[in-house]
Amino acid sequence: MAPGSCWVSTARKGYWANCLYCGLGIAAALKCDAVITTRLGGEEETAKYEVRDGKVSPTDHLFHLSTPAARWWDNVIFACSTFQPFRTERDIDAWCVAHDLPRGAVMGIPQLWRFVQDWYGSYINQPWHKRTATEVREIFHRHDLNGTFWSVE
């Protein structure tokens, strides 16, 4: 395991994660309460996201993914670095301009949590396998993640 930009604290132990999506994925896979510490926009302001009793807070933040789904595995470390939490749409727009990154998809933290639970929720009790493009599309569709950004081909 290598250090990541997020720290996930659980009652049992702590874990590194590369992004909030992955940090929430740890809580979803372990089916446990957790506190994920990261930074808004990957910059200086610390943010904490808490999973308690199957719910996540705060619920008023946004999650921006700059790298389109079809490109995630071209360089997964880079892709994760472009997945960042923000307070507002305006913050996302300013961040994209400041870092010369495209504005991609935006979802609320509750939607992200539901998606993450579906994506990572069975990782411990079912043997891992690389999802097919069809399986990925089905998960995306279940969470209203549609359009060009979410195309995996």
Side-chain angles (χ1 to χ4, degrees):
M1 183 175 294
S5 65
C6 296
W7 181 250
V8 182
S9 297
T10 70
R12 186 169 160 255
K13 65 187 272 187
Y15 304 87
W16 285 303
N18 287 330
C19 64
L20 179 59
Y21 169 65
C22 295
L24 288 170
I26 290 170
L30 295 175
K31 298 184 184 351
C32 70
D33 292 347
V35 176
I36 299 101
T37 304
T38 190
R39 293 167 291 134
L40 294 176
E43 296 177 354
E44 64 186 272
E45 187 176 351
T46 300
K48 290 187 184 269
Y49 296 87
E50 187 171 3
V51 175
R52 291 280 176 246
D53 300 321
K55 296 181 181 168
V56 66
S57 65
T59 59
D60 61 341
H61 285 190
L62 300 171
F63 189 69
H64 174 254
L65 302 94
S66 191
T67 303
R71 304 280 66 88
W72 289 356
W73 289 102
D74 292 353
N75 182 337
V76 72
I77 301 303
F78 174 77
C80 280
S81 74
T82 72
F83 299 170
Q84 297 292 335
F86 294 90
R87 279 201 178 88
T88 68
E89 296 264 357
R90 203 164 96 194
D91 294 339
I92 293 168
D93 292 338
W95 183 85
C96 289
V97 168
H99 299 289
D100 196 26
L101 288 167
R103 191 177 200 298
V106 177
M107 62 177 78
I109 297 299
Q111 182 186 14
L112 174 64
W113 174 235
R114 289 187 300 274
F115 170 60
V116 164
Q117 288 176 293
D118 197 4
W119 190 268
Y120 288 109
S122 64
Y123 268 34
I124 291 180
N125 31 348
Q126 292 179 8
W128 184 87
H129 75 279
K130 183 177 179 184
R131 288 184 173 95
T132 65
T134 299
E135 291 170 322
V136 170
R137 281 191 298 275
E138 288 170 358
I139 292 172
F140 286 174
H141 182 71
R142 279 198 299 269
H143 297 279
D144 296 320
L145 305 175
N146 302 304
T148 306
F149 182 90
W150 297 100
S151 173
V152 291
E153 298 166 319

